[in-house]
Amino acid sequence: MRLLALIIVLLSGSALAQERTPLIDTNPPYAAIVVTACPAAETPLEPINQGKIHDQERSMTREERNAYFRAIGCIEVPIPPEWITQELSYRQCRGPAGYLASMQYLEQNQTLVRTPVVGQWACIPGGSAFVGVASQ
């Protein structure tokens, strides 16, 4: 009898846990994109990984990366929502779809001729409903 009561309590508890909505939406329905547009740079040909010790390598922090982009002349440009041609969720924005939208915007915007390269892009969750060209 105790075993049956324990099973009923566990099943009802797990059903209640599934009905609860999460406190933070991990995939908001809409996202806005801010792209860091950088000037095209030619890199000299150098040997790759010659004598490099990868144990001492670390990624740049966000502040270091932003300072580096400012130092080489990059600017931050928000992509207008009416320019985006597809519905873009936050999760899609963080992947290849966000990069492609950023790259296409920089290529087709005539005012950004000096900064045609995507340095990074940031997805801002929330925003308004999709009002892109494809839905008009």
Side-chain angles (χ1 to χ4, degrees):
M1 194 62 143
R2 284 184 177 171
L3 182 61
L4 182 61
L6 181 63
I7 291 173
I8 292 172
V9 168
L10 289 176
L11 288 177
S12 65
S14 65
L16 288 175
Q18 291 176 355
E19 291 176 12
R20 256 187 305 180
T21 58
L23 297 176
I24 298 173
D25 188 4
T26 58
N27 190 26
Y30 307 111
I33 302 175
V34 176
V35 62
T36 303
C38 296
E42 293 185 26
T43 56
L45 295 177
E46 296 177 1
I48 299 174
N49 295 330
Q50 298 289 323
K52 187 175 254 189
I53 300 172
H54 293 286
D55 293 339
Q56 298 170 356
E57 293 290 314
R58 70 170 181 83
S59 300
M60 286 192 284
T61 64
R62 181 170 178 83
E63 292 79 24
E64 290 171 338
R65 192 170 50 249
N66 288 339
Y68 169 74
F69 284 135
R70 268 187 253 113
I72 63 171
C74 299
I75 57 172
E76 290 187 353
V77 181
I79 298 178
E82 61 272 1
W83 190 89
I84 298 173
T85 59
Q86 67 180 6
E87 193 162 338
L88 201 61
S89 70
Y90 181 70
R91 186 171 290 143
Q92 291 170 329
C93 177
R94 291 180 53 208
Y99 173 73
L100 288 174
S102 301
M103 185 176 64
Q104 290 170 352
Y105 179 70
L106 293 181
E107 284 178 357
Q108 295 178 7
N109 190 339
Q110 296 301 319
T111 60
L112 298 172
V113 174
R114 293 181 153 207
T115 54
V117 179
V118 176
Q120 67 181 357
W121 71 97
C123 302
I124 301 169
S128 59
F130 179 68
V131 292
V133 179
S135 66
Q136 294 178 352

